[in-house]
Amino acid sequence: MEEMAQAPIPSTAITVSSTPTTKRHKTTDRCEPDHQPLLPGLPDHIAQLILSLVHRPATLYSVCRSWRRLLYSPSFLPFLSLYALVLPDQSQSHRPLEIYTLDPVSSSDNWQALPPPPHPPLRPVLRHPSFLSRNLPIQSVSVSGNLVLLAATADNLVPALPRPLVFDPVSRSWGFGPPIDTPRRWCAAGTSRSTVFVASGIGSHYAPDVARSVEKWDLGSNNSVRHRSNGRNWKWEKLEPMRDAKFSREAIDAVGWRGKLCMVNVKGGSAKQGVIYDVAADDWSEMPDGMISGWRGPAAAMDEETLYAVDETKGVLRKYDAGADGWEEILAEERLVGAEQMAAGGGRVCVVESGGGIVVVDVVASPARVCGVLDVPVGFQAVAVHVLPRMSRPD
């Protein structure tokens, strides 16, 4: 999975249809569709190696059905797609959490629903009389090509997930991660390389030891859900606790960046505290002044190397300069005002806007530009986005 093809999300992304059904695309085949070699005169395994060198999956998709099938086979290096966790609007509040993916190669204008998670369906409490002004959070991360659901709130304000739910796009399958000693919500959650980290948060009730605790779960090199049946080969490991319990008040993204996890204790533009966890040293330090001063909204790191953040008050996307301990403005865009969550991958930064749509920014272009504004299926609003390998297709 680590060697997946890093083809960028195409810059031709446009506003999409609101229907979640998948459209059939009509193309003219230039290859015979049935039982023909991928490349005449070559064994298929050699042809597959050659075709894997093509950096634009859309080029392969446009040629013939056999190449299209190859693009979506589990054995072929997957290109990147966009995944969105969506919640029903108030008129559809009885429906469970759903997840959709937008395939930029074969389905540029329609979302496809993921297979449902294992039963019973996840029906998190989204609103509560005690928190009329906000939705209760659902926390998810992407790690080693997998989507992981980590935390949510059930009835009576208790944690909804005793163990993580893991989706492997290549096998199109769900599985369970290892049970966590203290299931929690409103925690700090993030990843570094193949490892998931959970820090602080609240269990069924507030407890100081939980609010300072840190645990990690290493998915390891063989991270396919198919080879980790029910998480029996996985486990959580306790780490050096946090210095205080000030990170248990909100659901926080712990952003993996250059071997560290960076996090702040409150969202938005209010005064905040920031800390950095050194993964290798298992040690905590204060966030540099320049970094915390510009952390005024959601943040994400591209390939865990380049750190981006949106100033949700001004609608400005910035990039962090570690040498100068400051932030460089990349793009100002009105639709980024009120940004709620973001992900980065394949040369794109994808931001969940305040209305529940998704703004896609091409940060490789010079200058950076908005290359798409995506609507999610009717009756839903996006709460989180991830950039992950495309789903495989059954033969």
Side-chain angles (χ1 to χ4, degrees):
M1 190 75 75
E2 280 84 353
E3 298 177 359
M4 68 181 181
Q6 294 293 322
I9 299 173
S11 60
T12 54
I14 58 174
T15 303
V16 302
S17 166
S18 296
T19 175
T21 57
T22 302
K23 179 186 291 183
R24 293 181 180 272
H25 291 255
K26 294 182 179 180
T27 58
T28 301
D29 289 338
R30 295 199 292 270
C31 297
E32 292 296 327
D34 298 319
H35 308 294
Q36 294 295 314
L38 293 172
L39 291 173
L42 290 176
D44 278 355
H45 69 282
I46 299 297
Q48 181 170 321
L49 291 175
I50 295 172
L51 293 175
S52 68
L53 300 176
V54 177
H55 295 295
R56 293 185 61 84
T59 302
L60 298 180
Y61 186 87
S62 65
V63 174
C64 61
R65 281 198 288 265
S66 61
W67 287 15
R68 289 198 290 276
R69 287 196 297 267
L70 175 65
L71 268 179
Y72 294 93
S73 68
S75 63
F76 196 73
L77 295 176
F79 55 87
L80 296 178
S81 293
L82 185 64
Y83 291 72
L85 278 69
V86 298
L87 297 178
D89 60 25
Q90 293 188 11
S91 65
Q92 304 277 335
S93 59
H94 63 284
R95 299 178 63 176
L97 172 73
E98 296 190 33
I99 307 172
Y100 287 86
T101 181
L102 186 67
D103 179 342
V105 172
S106 69
S107 183
S108 62
D109 58 355
N110 284 285
W111 293 87
Q112 178 184 4
L114 268 63
H119 290 291
L122 180 60
R123 297 181 183 270
V125 174
L126 310 180
R127 302 171 187 88
H128 192 274
S130 300
F131 305 94
L132 292 175
S133 63
R134 58 184 295 180
N135 289 336
L136 300 178
I138 298 172
Q139 289 181 270
S140 57
V141 297
S142 53
V143 56
S144 298
N146 297 307
L147 173 64
V148 179
L149 305 183
L150 279 173
T153 301
D155 293 336
N156 301 319
L157 296 178
V158 298
L161 290 168
R163 58 196 303 179
L165 283 171
V166 188
F167 180 72
D168 177 5
V170 175
S171 66
R172 297 175 58 94
S173 62
W174 285 93
F176 293 98
I180 189 168
D181 285 346
T182 305
R184 60 194 75 192
R185 55 198 176 88
W186 283 341
C187 52
T191 65
S192 179
R193 306 307 176 194
S194 65
T195 304
V196 177
F197 293 83
V198 171
S200 194
I202 302 171
S204 299
H205 304 282
Y206 175 81
D209 58 334
V210 174
R212 295 182 60 239
S213 67
V214 184
E215 298 185 56
K216 74 174 183 180
W217 160 36
D218 187 355
L219 277 73
S221 57
N222 185 9
N223 50 60
S224 171
V225 174
R226 293 171 296 172
H227 296 104
R228 301 285 186 173
S229 177
N230 293 322
R232 284 192 291 267
N233 296 323
W234 283 329
K235 64 178 181 179
W236 289 92
E237 177 184 347
K238 293 186 181 297
L239 301 175
E240 183 70 19
M242 305 181 75
R243 297 174 182 176
D244 57 52
K246 296 179 180 179
F247 287 75
S248 61
R249 63 184 69 173
E250 288 201 57
I252 299 298
D253 290 328
V255 181
W257 175 70
R258 301 183 180 180
K260 300 176 174 63
L261 290 173
C262 308
M263 65 187 85
V264 296
N265 65 331
V266 294
K267 296 183 176 181
S270 58
K272 56 179 63 72
Q273 291 179 300
V275 292
I276 293 180
Y277 174 72
D278 187 311
V279 173
D282 188 18
D283 188 38
W284 295 89
S285 62
E286 298 297 321
M287 183 177 286
D289 292 339
M291 179 184 282
I292 195 172
S293 66
W295 201 299
R296 305 182 66 81
M302 185 82 68
D303 302 324
E304 299 193 18
E305 181 61 30
T306 306
L307 182 62
Y308 295 92
V310 172
D311 186 325
E312 64 182 55
T313 302
K314 298 180 178 180
V316 174
L317 175 65
R318 299 190 177 102
K319 178 174 66 174
Y320 182 63
D321 182 342
D325 188 26
W327 295 82
E328 172 190 351
E329 182 172 322
I330 300 297
L331 176 138
E333 169 56 53
E334 183 178 358
R335 284 169 292 197
L336 297 181
V337 173
E340 297 184 354
Q341 191 265 350
M342 63 187 289
R348 307 290 187 266
V349 169
C350 305
V351 183
V352 177
E353 59 180 350
S354 58
I358 302 167
V359 179
V360 181
V361 180
D362 182 350
V363 293
V364 177
S366 184
R369 62 187 183 88
V370 173
C371 61
V373 181
L374 309 175
D375 296 327
V376 296
V378 167
F380 293 92
Q381 61 180 358
V383 294
V385 291
H386 296 279
V387 179
L388 289 164
R390 57 91 184 110
M391 278 200 302
S392 62
R393 293 179 179 174
D395 293 334

